[in-house]
Amino acid sequence: MAWTRDDMAKRAAQELKDGFYVNLGIGIPTLVANHIPDGVDVTLQSENGMLGMGPFPYPDEVDPDLINAGKQTITELRRSSYFNSAESFAMIRGGHIDISILGAMEISQGGDIANWMIPGKMVKGMGGAMDLVAGVKRCVAVMDHTNRAGKSKFLPECTLPLTGRNCIDMVITDLGVFSRGEGETRFRVTELAPGVEIDEVKAKTEADLVWG
Amino acid sequence: MAWTRDDMAKRAAQELKDGFYVNLGIGIPTLVANHIPDGVDVTLQSENGMLGMGPFPYPDEVDPDLINAGKQTITELRRSSYFNSAESFAMIRGGHIDISILGAMEISQGGDIANWMIPGKMVKGMGGAMDLVAGVKRCVAVMDHTNRAGKSKFLPECTLPLTGRNCIDMVITDLGVFSRGEGETRFRVTELAPGVEIDEVKAKTEADLVWG
Amino acid sequence: MSSKVFKTAAEALQGLTFDSMTVMSGGFGLCGIPENLIAALRDSGAQNITAISNNAGVDGFGLGLLLETRQIKKMISSYVGENKEFERQFLAGELDLEFNPQGTLAERIRAGGAGIPGFYTKTGVGTVIAEGKPTMEFDGEEYIMETGLKADVSLVKAWRGDTQGNLQFKKTARNFNPMMATAGKVTVVEVDELVEVGSFDPNYIHTPGIYVQRIIEAKCEKRIENMTTRDPGLGRGERGSA
Amino acid sequence: MSSKVFKTAAEALQGLTFDSMTVMSGGFGLCGIPENLIAALRDSGAQNITAISNNAGVDGFGLGLLLETRQIKKMISSYVGENKEFERQFLAGELDLEFNPQGTLAERIRAGGAGIPGFYTKTGVGTVIAEGKPTMEFDGEEYIMETGLKADVSLVKAWRGDTQGNLQFKKTARNFNPMMATAGKVTVVEVDELVEVGSFDPNYIHTPGIYVQRIIEAKCEKRIENMTTRDPGLGRGERGSA
């Protein structure tokens, strides 16, 4: 049985190590915060200028001057700090964030990612996505393995405009986990969702992977 | 009678306008702070990371964590702010300081300045001088007109290694004031020290100036 | 010293606005935007504005006000489209749009204020963002050059400011405001609270007054774009977490 | 979380020092220097160090300690020579010296920490500083390219720090310390006062803890290089000045 969105978030949360500074994208990655393993203490960065992002506020705590990168109202923690956008992205670009977990539309076998625009549709912009994939030490992409038409989203080359080239270290889909170590060019299947057979994954994957 | 060091500082102080942000170099320029005209309120920058530099402290106020760029103990004012060295020089390089008054060893007729090293002697370094002359909106150099051997320090070309090229807007010497406006390539004699004759200045100047 | 303090947003913009001007406007979404100055810029009637701002406001608020009146010719932003009028004008070809990655935009503004005309970044290498930009290799990796950005006027929103223009920002309302304060030929600031010089500890001033030419105190509406809250029935124990 | 807090300077440098390492050391003159960490670096015995620091200390204090023991092979600085031993070694050709304009040095360190491998500046155009450096023209003016700087270890001095590594600096002791904190592969900080997490207002943290890997509380001597005072007989009225 393939993983649900929540399962995928839970699996992604296993990539967080104690002491990590972490940036979570919008969508499934946001759910990761609900699954941080016991005994693992991480600090969440919000690229609009905050380290130590806390949970949503109680209704009487809402502060319009305190939002996350998804423009949601949030709270601060005792460890929190605020800084400006240039400092925030200096932190990201300079490789100080340990891990970024982000959604994807397509991933290529060479680790390229496309997640910001679909030609012909109204484009909202890349926000901080290009900076994150170019700068963060380790990037984990979370996405459904296939699109609604059943076509693979893990491809030899992305067909959509890229967000970044050769920057994804791990891909978590509803079917399993695909990763490559430092300096490795190809992804390897490292885990299958429960009940998912390797043949099903092979059939649904256009990318050239290491299958074993 | 030629100007004294204090006279030169006093004349340089006339270049300060109300509301100016000002950087003063070491030596004669430091004396400028004693001659700021009545009704003119300026804010002094110290490039080690302070705006609103106050006077020397009383002995019981000395704080080793509060010094100026000359490493002298100083005080803060009510308007003061502190920032790091990158921000301090962003301020300088970005053209936010209205005027810099600095000492010189040589000035060329094209506005080059040399004030940081003498070949063959132990070189201490340029500190912030190259950044200041390249970045500050208006640079006023203060120096003796001639060296101890009586040779002109206002020259067709500097003989010493440059601090900056085409960056000096006004030269104040013991003999007078030499300035050029925005976009003017040549300096004009705009003022003579009391009792100094133009012929004396001409005789002591190797630079090609506008003499009238 | 001649005062930096003005009474109203309209007075603070007097003599600064003109057709085809470039304006920077602080804020992230609707958080930390100079609401009153944006409204005054609209009322100034300046046309063909190039607006540099991370976002484009929403319909009827923030920079949305200037889109409604078609005073904006071009936007330089990282994320837009919370705004139907924006989308309509863009799709109709009435509005120019230059997307910058958010960090590149922030750094370009910082560079503009800091006298740095160009810098290299890895952001956007291999994407459409890199097209037409000079590249250079450092340690075997390719980087693209981005240029500094400046504005004729920067509109900034701060929390507290003193009469010398020293500023403090509140929480995530800081965002693009401090860099924009450095990159405007003239920087105009609206603050929630105007205080006397000496009210701030000089160690904790976010923007020194040198960057601020004009300042007003003004009441902000501070709209919330995505209100998200927790169930009040849940305990508050977690707030004790570090 | 595994703790960032160490007991002594020696313990804080354990496992981080090695021959031919590059070290950044904060401070301007003797103001805001990591005294205890410098002494511990000397005691580590690491040789052939490249030291990036605005100044080189004085005889017997600050980086002067490492010059005395000849552990420094090269200095990257903007101003030196308050130090007879430095002068002697340099003139004898025993020490390499790379002068950087102070603002260029500060920006190179900031760039190194911010993932910017190169940037353009007007500082040094037409001087020896420009020799051999790439140039580019922007708006008809020539600029030179400077590169980012990083270090194996950055030694930083802060005023107060919490156990998560969030830092506050005091007055002009801030100087190069915050940028160096961002540019070290490992950043080790000594503070006058170590406090619990939550002691700081998050609006006023100068260096977020993300940049700090190790922290100690240690007593500093804080020597004064040029003591200058006013005649105590003069009135204190001026202190009221803004």
Side-chain angles (χ1 to χ4, degrees):
Chain A
M1 204 182 62
W3 278 328
T4 63
R5 285 163 57 90
D6 223 49
D7 292 335
M8 288 156 71
K10 192 168 176 183
R11 178 58 190 81
Q14 301 299 318
E15 299 303 309
L16 307 182
K17 307 290 174 233
D18 192 40
F20 266 23
Y21 292 89
V22 178
N23 187 291
L24 300 177
I26 291 170
I28 300 176
T30 303
L31 304 175
V32 170
N34 302 331
H35 297 285
I36 297 168
D38 283 348
V40 171
D41 182 24
V42 301
T43 302
L44 300 181
Q45 199 235 24
S46 189
E47 66 262 30
N48 54 318
M50 181 184 201
L51 271 171
M53 182 164 55
F56 293 145
Y58 291 104
D60 61 351
E61 289 179 326
V62 167
D63 183 345
D65 291 324
L66 179 48
I67 65 171
N68 65 16
K71 294 163 194 162
Q72 298 171 309
T73 46
I74 50 164
T75 55
E76 68 184 29
L77 302 171
R78 286 193 288 136
R79 74 176 63 177
S80 300
S81 56
Y82 300 105
F83 31 85
N84 69 43
S85 300
E87 288 169 19
S88 182
F89 283 93
M91 197 178 279
I92 289 167
R93 202 189 309 101
H96 302 282
I97 306 284
D98 293 294
I99 193 167
S100 169
I101 300 176
L102 67 169
M105 296 172 181
E106 293 177 348
I107 301 289
S108 82
Q109 63 194 30
D112 300 349
I113 178 171
N115 73 348
W116 77 283
M117 77 172 282
I118 298 175
K121 289 206 181 178
M122 176 65 198
V123 180
K124 292 198 167 191
M126 69 290 287
M130 286 190 179
D131 308 283
L132 283 159
V133 298
V136 171
K137 280 183 205 156
R138 189 156 182 270
C139 291
V140 175
V142 181
M143 66 174 185
D144 289 330
H145 205 91
T146 55
N147 65 16
R148 285 174 196 178
K151 207 173 152 333
S152 177
K153 295 168 71 173
F154 204 168
L155 300 165
E157 291 292 338
C158 293
T159 65
L160 297 170
L162 295 185
T163 308
R165 208 169 56 186
N166 188 12
C167 52
I168 301 300
D169 301 287
M170 174 180 271
V171 182
I172 297 173
T173 76
D174 50 328
L175 300 186
V177 179
F178 310 85
S179 64
R180 53 178 193 168
E182 185 90 30
E184 288 176 8
T185 53
R186 296 171 73 203
F187 287 87
R188 178 184 298 273
V189 187
T190 52
E191 213 173 313
L192 295 175
V196 171
E197 297 296 329
I198 188 90
D199 286 344
E200 179 191 352
V201 183
K202 281 185 183 174
K204 289 181 171 172
T205 305
E206 290 182 34
D208 176 34
L209 309 180
V210 180
W211 294 104
Chain B
M1 203 184 61
W3 279 329
T4 62
R5 284 163 56 91
D6 223 47
D7 292 335
M8 289 156 72
K10 192 168 177 182
R11 178 58 191 81
Q14 301 299 318
E15 298 303 310
L16 307 182
K17 308 291 175 233
D18 191 39
F20 266 22
Y21 292 88
V22 178
N23 187 291
L24 300 177
I26 292 169
I28 300 176
T30 302
L31 304 175
V32 170
N34 303 330
H35 297 285
I36 298 168
D38 284 346
V40 171
D41 182 24
V42 302
T43 301
L44 300 180
Q45 199 236 23
S46 190
E47 66 263 29
N48 55 320
M50 182 184 200
L51 271 171
M53 184 165 50
F56 294 144
Y58 291 105
D60 61 351
E61 288 178 327
V62 168
D63 183 344
D65 291 324
L66 179 48
I67 65 171
N68 65 17
K71 294 165 194 161
Q72 297 171 310
T73 47
I74 51 165
T75 55
E76 67 184 28
L77 301 172
R78 287 193 289 136
R79 73 175 65 176
S80 300
S81 56
Y82 301 105
F83 31 84
N84 68 44
S85 300
E87 288 167 20
S88 182
F89 283 92
M91 196 178 279
I92 289 167
R93 202 188 309 102
H96 302 282
I97 306 284
D98 294 294
I99 193 168
S100 168
I101 300 176
L102 66 170
M105 295 171 179
E106 292 177 349
I107 301 288
S108 83
Q109 63 195 30
D112 301 348
I113 178 171
N115 73 348
W116 77 283
M117 76 172 283
I118 299 174
K121 288 206 181 178
M122 176 63 198
V123 180
K124 293 200 168 190
M126 69 289 288
M130 285 190 180
D131 308 284
L132 283 159
V133 298
V136 172
K137 280 182 205 156
R138 189 156 182 271
C139 292
V140 175
V142 181
M143 65 174 185
D144 288 331
H145 206 92
T146 55
N147 65 16
R148 283 173 198 178
K151 206 173 152 335
S152 177
K153 294 168 72 172
F154 205 167
L155 299 165
E157 292 292 339
C158 293
T159 65
L160 297 171
L162 294 186
T163 308
R165 205 170 57 188
N166 187 16
C167 53
I168 300 299
D169 302 287
M170 175 180 271
V171 182
I172 297 172
T173 76
D174 51 328
L175 300 185
V177 179
F178 311 84
S179 64
R180 53 179 192 166
E182 185 87 30
E184 287 177 8
T185 53
R186 297 172 72 202
F187 287 87
R188 178 183 299 273
V189 186
T190 51
E191 213 174 312
L192 294 175
V196 171
E197 298 295 330
I198 188 90
D199 286 345
E200 178 191 352
V201 182
K202 280 185 184 175
K204 289 181 170 173
T205 304
E206 288 182 33
D208 176 34
L209 309 180
V210 180
W211 294 105
Chain C
M1 189 163 99
S2 64
S3 178
K4 295 182 177 184
V5 180
F6 287 71
K7 281 199 181 129
T8 66
E11 283 173 35
L13 289 190
Q14 195 79 49
L16 301 181
T17 59
F18 54 93
D19 292 350
S20 301
M21 70 188 298
T22 297
V23 175
M24 287 185 187
S25 182
F28 181 93
L30 299 181
C31 178
I33 63 171
E35 296 178 19
N36 295 280
L37 293 169
I38 290 170
L41 177 59
R42 177 197 55 192
D43 297 343
S44 78
Q47 302 293 322
N48 289 318
I49 292 170
T50 295
I52 302 172
S53 178
N54 190 58
N55 313 93
V58 297
D59 287 305
F61 200 65
L63 290 179
L65 294 178
L66 288 156
L67 288 162
E68 253 169 30
T69 54
R70 315 242 180 144
Q71 285 168 275
I72 295 180
K73 180 194 63 183
K74 180 179 180 180
M75 291 280 324
I76 301 179
S77 302
S78 90
Y79 194 86
V80 297
E82 314 287 17
N83 193 318
K84 291 262 174 279
E85 179 59 19
F86 184 99
E87 192 166 335
R88 199 200 57 67
Q89 287 181 29
F90 177 71
L91 293 175
E94 296 165 20
L95 186 68
D96 284 348
L97 176 57
E98 178 188 317
F99 277 128
N100 281 204
Q102 193 175 140
T104 293
L105 182 62
E107 188 66 20
R108 290 183 72 191
I109 297 166
R110 191 243 174 214
I116 293 175
F119 62 90
Y120 291 92
T121 178
K122 228 190 296 189
T123 299
V125 170
T127 76
V128 293
I129 288 301
E131 284 171 16
K133 289 177 182 160
T135 62
M136 197 177 281
E137 217 176 84
F138 296 87
D139 281 336
E141 290 208 65
E142 188 185 340
Y143 292 77
I144 58 177
M145 196 190 85
E146 297 280 0
T147 56
L149 283 174
K150 290 188 189 184
D152 294 305
V153 173
S154 283
L155 306 183
V156 163
K157 162 73 193 187
W159 181 19
R160 295 190 284 228
D162 72 21
T163 52
Q164 288 268 348
N166 293 307
L167 305 179
Q168 292 184 327
F169 300 91
K170 187 180 157 203
K171 305 191 184 223
T172 57
R174 193 181 315 184
N175 55 65
F176 282 81
N177 284 297
M179 292 91 72
M180 288 183 173
T182 70
K185 280 182 206 153
V186 181
T187 291
V188 186
V189 182
E190 64 175 88
V191 294
D192 290 335
E193 203 185 330
L194 185 68
V195 299
E196 281 311 303
V197 171
S199 305
F200 298 141
D201 180 333
N203 287 302
Y204 308 124
I205 288 171
H206 296 130
T207 292
I210 188 171
Y211 294 115
V212 175
Q213 282 71 49
R214 301 183 181 190
I215 189 168
I216 59 162
E217 184 181 77
K219 191 150 178 56
C220 263
E221 181 185 333
K222 296 194 185 182
R223 265 193 221 177
I224 292 174
E225 221 164 331
N226 296 338
M227 171 82 81
T228 44
T229 58
R230 281 203 284 180
D231 182 345
L234 293 173
R236 298 200 179 212
E238 281 156 84
R239 186 64 73 271
S241 152
Chain D
M1 188 164 97
S2 64
S3 177
K4 295 183 176 183
V5 179
F6 287 70
K7 281 200 180 129
T8 65
E11 284 173 33
L13 289 190
Q14 196 79 49
L16 301 181
T17 59
F18 53 93
D19 291 351
S20 300
M21 69 188 299
T22 296
V23 175
M24 288 186 185
S25 182
F28 182 92
L30 299 182
C31 179
I33 62 172
E35 296 178 18
N36 294 281
L37 292 169
I38 291 170
L41 178 59
R42 176 197 57 191
D43 297 343
S44 78
Q47 302 294 323
N48 289 318
I49 292 170
T50 295
I52 302 173
S53 178
N54 190 57
N55 312 93
V58 297
D59 287 303
F61 200 64
L63 290 179
L65 293 179
L66 287 155
L67 289 163
E68 254 170 28
T69 54
R70 316 242 182 143
Q71 286 169 273
I72 295 179
K73 178 194 65 183
K74 180 178 179 179
M75 291 280 324
I76 300 180
S77 303
S78 90
Y79 194 85
V80 298
E82 313 287 18
N83 193 318
K84 291 262 175 279
E85 179 59 19
F86 183 99
E87 192 166 336
R88 200 200 57 68
Q89 288 181 29
F90 177 70
L91 293 175
E94 296 164 18
L95 185 68
D96 284 349
L97 177 57
E98 178 187 316
F99 277 127
N100 280 204
Q102 193 176 140
T104 293
L105 182 62
E107 188 66 19
R108 290 184 71 190
I109 298 166
R110 191 243 174 214
I116 293 174
F119 62 90
Y120 292 91
T121 178
K122 229 191 294 191
T123 299
V125 170
T127 76
V128 293
I129 288 300
E131 285 170 16
K133 289 178 183 159
T135 62
M136 198 177 280
E137 217 175 83
F138 296 88
D139 281 335
E141 289 207 66
E142 187 185 341
Y143 291 78
I144 59 177
M145 196 190 83
E146 296 281 0
T147 56
L149 282 174
K150 289 187 189 184
D152 294 307
V153 174
S154 282
L155 306 182
V156 163
K157 162 73 192 187
W159 181 18
R160 295 190 284 227
D162 71 21
T163 53
Q164 288 268 348
N166 292 308
L167 305 179
Q168 292 184 327
F169 300 91
K170 188 180 156 201
K171 303 189 185 224
T172 56
R174 193 181 316 184
N175 55 63
F176 282 82
N177 284 298
M179 292 91 72
M180 288 183 173
T182 71
K185 279 180 208 154
V186 181
T187 291
V188 187
V189 183
E190 64 176 87
V191 294
D192 290 336
E193 202 184 331
L194 185 69
V195 300
E196 280 311 302
V197 171
S199 305
F200 299 142
D201 180 333
N203 286 302
Y204 307 125
I205 288 171
H206 296 130
T207 291
I210 190 171
Y211 294 114
V212 175
Q213 282 71 48
R214 301 184 180 189
I215 189 168
I216 59 163
E217 183 181 79
K219 191 152 179 56
C220 264
E221 180 185 335
K222 295 194 184 183
R223 266 193 220 178
I224 292 174
E225 220 163 332
N226 294 339
M227 171 81 81
T228 45
T229 58
R230 281 203 284 181
D231 182 345
L234 292 172
R236 299 201 179 212
E238 280 157 83
R239 185 61 76 274
S241 153

